[in-house]
Every structure is written in structure tokens, then in C-alpha cells.
Amino acid sequence: MPTDTKSALLMTAERAARTRGFDGFSYADLAESVGIRKASVHHHFPTKAALSVALMHRYHADKEAACARVDAAEPTGGARLLALINLYREALDGGKSLCLCVSFSTSRESLPSEVTAQIGRFRMMMIGWLEATFEVGRCDGTIAGVEDPAAEAAATLPLLEGAQLAARAAENPAIFECGLKLLRQRLT
Amino acid sequence: MPTDTKSALLMTAERAARTRGFDGFSYADLAESVGIRKASVHHHFPTKAALSVALMHRYHADKEAACARVDAAEPTGGARLLALINLYREALDGGKSLCLCVSFSTSRESLPSEVTAQIGRFRMMMIGWLEATFEVGRCDGTIAGVEDPAAEAAATLPLLEGAQLAARAAENPAIFECGLKLLRQRLT
DNA sequence: GTCTATATGTGGATAGAC
DNA sequence: GTCTATCCACATATAGAC
């Protein structure tokens, strides 16, 4: 059996939000992509606000699972951080898209307050993972020059997100690489 | 004599774009703020695309001048970089607004390609200034640990922009401070 | 330069039949 | 669950008078 309609809508909506922004797609767009009518989209997600909450919820769970997989696959702090950088590069999709967190952060006014709260929780989760990763890297020596893991974590997430935003604005992934060069040089 | 209508429109539009995004304000909003009618706004800026170009043009010139003033006022690299950080914090306006470059970067789909090009030129200008500043700081010893001024510059602009974006998303300026803590500790 | 009036399109959302 | 049909609000933009 093919993917059910609700999942197809979530997938299509996430891609659209990440490439064109939350205001950049409409129920009409989703309907056409999935092959149903506008009214049917409203059956699955009564309002666009409800859709945004569902998207962010799924995104948080997905990324948290991805970080756990990185921890399981990579023993060193340096390798883990490199894996996260790679995830952000992949999300950039050659300069055409952003991660959902950055995309939603830029659409603040159009989103319900619940999504604002979800964004905050997502960033806290990511910074927590980064802090633990820098701590591991400090101990095993695979990340150079770490003195304050919490401060490193608080700086690394905005760097990743800002580099992604700049690269997408120019539709040029090289900008992402330039921004991350310094950090990458610290990894063994 | 009071500010002329065109300047008033640019000022109002920039504030609106920075707090609510380019898609977050309409000609009706501008008209009401300035005290004229929608059709009169079109007299000054025929299309919203033309308005966006004018905004970005003015913004580039303003920021370039601000950097020049910093250079004139501060002799050391560390003091100059600190002054730039302060400019980005002020643009955050307590967590309510972004700098125009970040705001426009997030509205890519709604903007004419000329603005995309302007954004690219703006970032090149800023990275050039940052590279020169890191070089000065490296020589005079007021920025610690500088080995590659170009890489530092390429990392610092996305950090500033990403930290601003995250702080605005949560409407919490403390997030900006946390992100910049590490960099600030390197300044004398 | 500013106005009234209007054209035209599109957005999110709902009612009610099948 | 999906459809047709429709509502209403608001967006950008234009025509033409003053």
C-alpha cells in the first residue's frame, strides 16, 4: 500500500516549507502535489496552524532520532560534530532549502504561538546535544581548543543555521562550507 | 520641514520588514502609517519589488557608512569587532526585529532577483570589512587566537546573523548574548 | 502628489452532498 | 475521505479625477 494521504501531505508540506517558506505554499499547492482537492487537505489538517504544529513536532522527533543515531555510530566527539555538520549541509540541498527550524524561525508572525514554543524546545534539545558532544570531544581530544562546552554549543547552532541561511540566499552551498571551515579545522 | 513622504515610506517599510518580514506588511499598512492612501504609495514605489530594491540599496549604504564610522572611532581590531557586535544587538531591538539582510534572506521567494544579488553584495562587503578587522586584531593583539582572518570573517557573519535569528524567534535577546559569548571572550 | 474607485488574483476556511 | 461550490478577507496593482 502506498504512503497514506496524511503522511504524504506532511512530506510535501515540509519540503515546501523548507524551500519556499511557510508563507510560500498554500493548501492549493499541497492539494495539487498530493492529487486531492483543497477541501480534502482541510480534512486532515483543519487549519494551516495545525499543520505547522504537526510539522514541527515530527521534525523535532526526527532530528532527535538522527542525533541518537550519530551517537550510536560515532564514538568520538569530533566525528559526531562532523556528522551534524554533514546533516546541515544535506538539509541545504545544494542551496535550495533550509532546515525546518530556520525556515520557521523566519516566519514567526505567520505561525501559532505553540510553534514558537516548539522552536524554542528544539533549539534547547540541539544545544544540549552539542554541549555533550563538545564535552566528549574535549575529553577524547578530537575537538581542539575546547574550554567551555556550553559556550561552544551556544555558538555552534547559530553558526550552522546562519551559514545555511546565507548559502540558501545566494543559492550557493560554498558559502556554507566557508562559514564552517574554521570549526572543521578543529576536528580530528 | 518634515521628512518627505518617500523617506517616511522607506523608514516605515524597513521597520515593518525587519519586524514582520517582507511578506508581513502591505501597502495598506504603509499607507496607514504614513497617513496617505494606498494608491499614493504606488506613486512613490510602483511595485513592492521596486520598494524592496530601494530598501536594500539604502541599507547597504547605511551599513557601509556605519562600518566606516567604527573604523574612524576605534583604532583596535578588538574594539571594532565589539562595535559591530553591538550594532547587531541593537538591530535585534530586544528580540523584536532582525537586520534587513537576515529578514530579506528569509523571504527569498517573494523578492526580485535583483535583491538576491544585492544581498550577496552586502554579505561580501561585510565579510571584507570583517576580514580586515580580524587582520588588524591579529596584528595589534586585541583579538586572541586569529590564524586565518578570512576564515574568521566567513564564520563571524553567519554567527551574528544566526544568533540574531534565534533570539528573535524566541523574542529573547539573551540567546544572542549566549551565542556571542565565546567570540567576545577573545576580545581585549 | 494625492485621491476615490475598482480590477484581479489568491489566500485560508466552511457547508453540505456523495 | 473526498468532492463541488462558495464565502470572505486581503493582497498588489491600475484608471482617471482633482
Side-chain angles (χ1 to χ4, degrees):
Chain A
M1 62 211 64
T3 326
D4 63 303
T5 306
K6 197 161 189 167
S7 301
L9 284 169
L10 281 171
M11 202 165 58
T12 303
E14 182 177 326
R15 179 160 242 12
R18 286 176 40 194
T19 57
R20 306 198 295 274
F22 184 68
D23 298 320
F25 72 93
S26 68
Y27 269 38
D29 298 329
L30 295 184
E32 193 187 353
S33 293
V34 173
I36 58 178
R37 295 296 185 163
K38 267 202 309 180
S40 307
V41 180
H42 280 281
H43 171 76
H44 296 282
F45 300 101
T47 65
K48 214 181 170 186
L51 172 61
S52 68
V53 171
L55 282 174
M56 197 62 209
H57 180 81
R58 199 182 65 142
Y59 183 72
H60 185 120
D62 284 356
K63 280 280 176 153
E64 201 164 21
C67 287
R69 276 196 303 276
V70 168
D71 286 345
E74 306 288 352
T76 70
R80 287 176 185 176
L81 188 50
L82 186 61
L84 187 73
I85 295 171
N86 290 340
L87 283 177
Y88 272 83
R89 185 194 305 106
E90 285 162 26
L92 189 54
D93 192 23
K96 285 196 267 298
S97 91
L98 299 166
C99 74
L100 194 65
C101 178
V102 172
S103 173
F104 273 11
S105 293
T106 71
S107 313
R108 209 181 168 282
E109 296 296 316
S110 316
L111 295 164
S113 59
E114 187 171 346
V115 169
T116 304
Q118 286 175 308
I119 291 172
R121 287 197 296 272
F122 174 80
R123 283 216 172 85
M124 280 182 59
M125 182 271 289
M126 289 301 300
I127 289 178
W129 184 88
L130 278 164
E131 183 175 344
T133 301
F134 273 102
E135 176 62 27
V136 170
R138 187 180 70 83
C139 294
D140 67 18
T142 56
I143 308 178
V146 178
E147 289 183 4
D148 183 344
E152 297 274 8
T156 299
L157 187 62
L159 171 61
L160 285 165
E161 294 185 344
Q164 203 179 64
L165 183 65
R168 211 270 316 226
E171 213 163 334
N172 178 10
I175 292 177
F176 180 83
E177 306 302 337
C178 288
L180 269 297
K181 182 184 171 192
L182 211 60
L183 178 59
R184 196 190 260 106
Q185 284 176 343
R186 298 169 57 193
L187 309 180
T188 305
Chain B
M1 56 212 70
T3 325
D4 63 302
T5 306
K6 197 160 188 167
S7 301
L9 283 170
L10 282 171
M11 201 164 58
T12 304
E14 181 177 327
R15 181 160 240 15
R18 286 176 39 194
T19 57
R20 305 198 297 273
F22 185 67
D23 298 319
F25 72 94
S26 68
Y27 269 39
D29 297 329
L30 295 184
E32 193 186 352
S33 292
V34 173
I36 58 178
R37 295 295 184 167
K38 273 198 303 181
S40 308
V41 180
H42 280 282
H43 170 76
H44 296 283
F45 301 101
T47 65
K48 214 182 171 185
L51 171 61
S52 68
V53 172
L55 282 173
M56 197 62 210
H57 180 81
R58 198 182 66 142
Y59 183 71
H60 185 119
D62 283 356
K63 280 279 175 154
E64 201 164 21
C67 287
R69 278 196 302 276
V70 167
D71 286 344
E74 307 287 353
T76 71
R80 287 176 186 176
L81 187 49
L82 186 61
L84 187 72
I85 294 171
N86 290 338
L87 284 178
Y88 273 83
R89 185 194 303 104
E90 285 162 27
L92 189 53
D93 192 22
K96 285 197 267 298
S97 91
L98 300 166
C99 73
L100 194 66
C101 178
V102 173
S103 174
F104 273 10
S105 293
T106 71
S107 313
R108 209 182 167 283
E109 296 297 315
S110 317
L111 294 163
S113 58
E114 187 169 347
V115 170
T116 304
Q118 286 176 308
I119 291 173
R121 288 196 297 272
F122 174 79
R123 283 215 171 88
M124 281 184 58
M125 183 271 289
M126 288 301 299
I127 289 179
W129 184 88
L130 277 165
E131 183 175 345
T133 301
F134 273 101
E135 176 63 28
V136 171
R138 188 180 69 83
C139 293
D140 67 19
T142 56
I143 308 178
V146 178
E147 290 183 5
D148 183 344
E152 297 274 8
T156 299
L157 187 60
L159 171 60
L160 285 165
E161 295 185 342
Q164 204 179 63
L165 183 65
R168 211 271 316 226
E171 214 163 332
N172 178 9
I175 291 177
F176 180 83
E177 306 301 338
C178 288
L180 269 297
K181 183 184 170 192
L182 212 60
L183 178 59
R184 198 193 259 105
Q185 285 175 343
R186 298 169 56 193
L187 309 180
T188 306

